[in-house]
Amino acid sequence: MHEAQRITKKGNVIDVLASYSPLFDEKGQWDGGVAIYKDITDRKRLFNELKESEERYRLITEHTSDLIKIINPQGTVLYCSPSHFDVLGIRPDETINKPIFIGMHHDSIETFKLTIEKIISTRKPASIRFQRITRKGEFIWLHTIGSPILNNEGNKVDKILFVARNITERKKYEEQLQHYALVDHLTGQPNRRYFFSRLLDEMEKAKFSHSTLAVMMLDIDRFKHVNDSMGHDIGDQLLKEFSERVKDCLHENDILARIGGDEFAILLPDVKSNQAIVNVANRIINSLQEKWVIDEHQFNTTSSIGISFYPPYELNYKTLIKQADKALYQAKEGGRNCFKVYTNTEF
């Protein structure tokens, strides 16, 4: 997150707080990103006025909703704005002469300390996001900009001014954007991007720990017939209910993802035995024998499943998926409504 300037449609220059979140494809390569801009023109103007007049600074700090603190280089609070009571439920005098880290989430303290050290060493502003507890016991997200106040000689940081704002709602919005980028909107299951990212991670873990993982590729038998004869609305509802039935057959750490169309993939990490995977495949096949009832339609449809295993550790993720796809094709050639393992091992 950093400060920048942007030109509006009207040609006005405004100050913004820019946040960029990368998105990665299944190869782990950059594939795009999400940019969020927050207009901070007014805050920048107020901050500049703070430098110009001590009296103006006092008036602003007493009436702003931003949280303003001044600390010494050791992290002791020297000043705390009245807004802390409105935002956090904490009286300013409760924080004076105490470490600024009191009330911070334990995951934020070390990063905040490093930010202070950076400001002191560079004598330049720095920003940080951190979590802070309120009087009600709730943790909220704050974004703060720390600016050094130099001594008279201008060669040493005498104090640090922190101006913080509650960004809890913005944080939730960013998390939602990240969630939407990794979830199939129809079924609510992880999408192709998320699946391949997790597959790469789990393959690395399996190789390091000498453990086994399995991949299942599955689709809905004669799904095109359902779409063509009953309509796409029924087809969409079938995809949703199909994913729910399959999900119910999996363990907590297994990952079901919609790859595209009626094609799904399952990642099963830390496999204890081949028989355990056979049991999962059988549970899925059995769960799909029950008749589907969607709106006024009642019909039967099943699934074919292809399975591949890792190790061999020299396999890459593409080969692992291709092996599962080949096994899926064998299952369809074998009459559908069954599973096949790539090695053609008979269970």
Side-chain angles (χ1 to χ4, degrees):
M1 181 172 291
H2 67 279
E3 294 183 28
Q5 287 189 317
R6 291 291 183 270
I7 299 176
T8 68
K9 290 183 178 179
K10 296 182 179 180
N12 298 323
V13 178
I14 63 172
D15 294 290
V16 299
L17 194 63
S19 173
Y20 302 99
S21 300
L23 299 175
F24 300 95
D25 61 18
E26 59 267 27
K27 298 180 181 179
Q29 297 179 341
W30 183 79
D31 191 38
V34 177
I36 299 176
Y37 296 105
K38 174 68 176 180
D39 186 350
I40 60 169
T41 304
D42 290 339
R43 183 163 59 171
K44 286 281 290 185
R45 175 178 56 79
L46 292 177
F47 184 76
N48 291 331
E49 291 177 353
L50 288 177
K51 296 180 180 179
E52 297 173 1
S53 169
E54 182 71 23
E55 179 61 27
R56 188 174 298 170
Y57 164 74
R58 185 177 297 109
L59 290 173
I60 293 173
T61 57
E62 289 178 355
H63 294 89
T64 184
S65 60
D66 288 345
L67 304 177
I68 300 176
K69 271 192 173 82
I70 297 177
I71 67 169
N72 63 20
Q74 291 72 47
T76 302
V77 177
L78 305 176
Y79 172 82
C80 181
S81 64
S83 54
H84 280 71
F85 184 78
D86 295 328
V87 177
L88 301 175
I90 298 171
R91 297 196 315 272
D93 59 2
E94 295 180 86
T95 69
I96 301 300
N97 295 323
K98 295 180 181 178
I100 193 173
F101 314 108
I102 293 177
M104 284 188 191
H105 193 282
H106 60 84
D107 289 340
S108 300
I109 293 176
E110 190 61 32
T111 305
F112 204 98
K113 288 181 178 179
L114 292 174
T115 302
I116 292 176
E117 292 176 5
K118 180 180 179 181
I119 294 171
I120 293 173
S121 63
T122 64
R123 287 178 288 174
K124 294 180 179 179
S127 65
I128 182 178
R129 289 182 173 191
F130 67 99
Q131 284 185 287
R132 173 75 160 81
I133 198 168
T134 68
R135 177 71 75 185
K136 295 179 180 179
E138 302 170 342
F139 276 101
I140 64 172
W141 279 96
L142 298 170
H143 174 263
T144 186
I145 299 175
S147 299
I149 301 174
L150 305 181
N151 60 7
N152 293 333
E153 291 74 25
N155 59 4
K156 186 178 180 181
V157 175
D158 187 46
K159 301 178 182 67
I160 302 175
L161 170 67
F162 283 104
V163 181
R165 176 164 293 183
N166 186 348
I167 60 165
T168 303
E169 292 304 315
R170 188 200 312 171
K171 183 73 174 175
K172 291 179 181 178
Y173 181 63
E174 291 175 357
E175 291 173 351
Q176 287 175 349
L177 289 178
Q178 290 286 354
H179 175 75
Y180 293 149
L182 299 173
V183 171
D184 174 61
H185 295 172
L186 176 63
T187 64
Q189 302 299 333
N191 62 15
R192 181 186 186 91
R193 184 195 303 273
Y194 179 84
F195 180 82
F196 283 107
S197 174
R198 283 298 305 273
L199 176 59
L200 288 169
D201 288 344
E202 293 299 333
M203 288 177 70
E204 185 176 344
K205 291 178 184 177
K207 188 173 183 179
F208 178 78
S209 62
H210 301 287
S211 59
T212 299
L213 66 79
V215 170
M216 291 184 180
M217 300 297 292
L218 62 160
D219 61 13
I220 301 176
D221 293 332
R222 299 185 177 89
F223 179 72
K224 186 176 183 300
H225 173 73
V226 173
N227 260 344
D228 292 344
S229 61
M230 304 179 198
H232 289 280
D233 288 343
I234 300 299
D236 286 349
Q237 189 60 36
L238 174 60
L239 288 169
K240 294 178 186 179
E241 296 188 16
F242 175 86
S243 67
E244 290 170 2
R245 283 198 198 181
V246 173
K247 184 71 175 178
D248 288 341
C249 298
L250 304 179
H251 297 105
E252 183 179 357
N253 294 330
D254 300 335
I255 296 172
L256 169 68
R258 184 185 177 201
I259 303 301
D262 67 317
E263 187 177 15
F264 291 79
I266 302 174
L267 171 60
L268 304 104
D270 196 22
V271 174
K272 301 305 180 184
S273 67
N274 285 5
Q275 186 59 46
I277 300 304
V278 170
N279 294 340
V280 173
N282 280 325
R283 283 201 301 271
I284 294 173
I285 296 294
N286 291 335
S287 74
L288 301 177
Q289 304 309 305
E290 183 180 346
K291 184 175 294 187
W292 301 90
V293 180
I294 302 176
D295 292 344
E296 71 279 8
H297 300 279
Q298 296 187 29
F299 56 95
N300 292 95
T301 188
T302 55
S303 178
S304 301
I305 303 174
I307 305 171
S308 60
F309 286 95
Y310 181 80
Y313 295 128
E314 63 269 17
L315 296 179
N316 59 41
Y317 79 97
K318 289 183 179 179
T319 303
L320 193 62
I321 295 298
K322 285 181 180 179
Q323 290 180 351
D325 271 330
K326 288 180 180 179
L328 172 60
Y329 178 78
Q330 291 169 359
K332 287 187 173 296
E333 288 291 297
R336 298 185 173 90
N337 194 26
C338 65
F339 71 88
K340 293 290 183 181
V341 176
Y342 170 71
T343 56
N344 292 320
T345 303
E346 297 294 337
F347 293 99

